[in-house]
Amino acid sequence: MINIVTSEGFVSEELLGLTEYYSCILSNTELLQKECEFRSKKLGLILDFIRAIEIPESLESELTTAIIKSWRLEIPETTLIHLENEQRNMMGSINCIKNVVRWMERHKASPNSLQLNFRVLSNLPLTPSDLQPMDAPRIYNLISRVMDCCTSFMEDGLNHRHDASSL
């Protein structure tokens, strides 16, 4: 069951805090010299963002467990150039999430926490090379299930409001 009563303000504050925290940590170019530490920070970022949004607990648990079990701390084919590109992509994901949260704060009327969940999941910097090759399709399927759940809740909310207005 999804908890929709949680204050959207709290979720957005937590997400902004996470974006600031990971921006500071991941912008350090010296981190690229330590692949395991860099990859560990990336895993932490992904898990923290998943935990910060409001999704059904069973799906959250299944998704985070699957990612942790499949995560690759070392990728043999990784070069410094690859890590630099990965760092840029992660900073782009962080900035997208930060911009969505700030936009939502400025335009409080329209979006809701379920839309925020969808946006955060869409911007997670998770790539197939982060995961054991045979696990990647399953994990992307889990993310898709969570997004479908968010979409169905958004549609139910719209339909419910529509039905209520026709009374």
Side-chain angles (χ1 to χ4, degrees), residues 29-154:
T29 55
E30 292 177 17
L31 186 60
L32 297 177
Q33 304 302 317
K34 306 169 190 165
E35 182 186 1
C36 284
E37 189 176 337
F38 175 79
R39 305 251 336 115
S40 177
K41 299 294 184 196
K42 182 177 182 181
L43 174 60
L45 175 149
I46 291 167
L47 296 176
D48 282 346
F49 278 106
I50 290 171
R51 290 179 185 130
I53 60 176
E54 299 173 353
I55 58 176
E57 190 176 327
S58 60
L59 281 175
E60 177 188 328
S61 177
E62 186 177 359
L63 179 58
T64 56
T65 300
I67 291 171
I68 291 168
K69 284 183 179 178
S70 180
W71 194 257
R72 296 170 70 188
L73 281 178
E74 293 181 307
I75 302 174
E77 62 274 12
T78 298
T79 64
L80 184 57
I81 292 171
H82 179 266
L83 287 174
E84 289 170 348
N85 288 335
E86 194 171 354
Q87 182 184 38
R88 266 192 298 283
N89 290 339
M90 287 172 38
M91 295 304 293
S93 293
I94 290 168
N95 287 329
C96 284
I97 292 169
K98 185 187 306 185
N99 290 337
V100 166
V101 172
R102 286 190 174 148
W103 184 90
M104 288 182 69
E105 286 181 339
R106 284 191 310 269
H107 303 90
K108 291 186 187 262
S110 175
N112 62 36
S113 60
L114 296 172
Q115 291 169 317
L116 181 60
N117 296 351
F118 189 84
R119 295 291 187 183
V120 169
L121 289 168
S122 298
N123 285 293
L124 286 177
L126 183 66
T127 63
S129 65
D130 291 327
L131 308 166
Q132 297 298 328
M134 54 200 263
D135 295 336
R138 179 174 168 263
I139 291 170
Y140 281 104
N141 184 42
L142 282 170
I143 292 171
S144 181
R145 281 179 41 208
V146 172
M147 292 174 109
D148 288 345
C149 180
C150 292
T151 303
S152 75
F153 280 117
M154 284 189 295

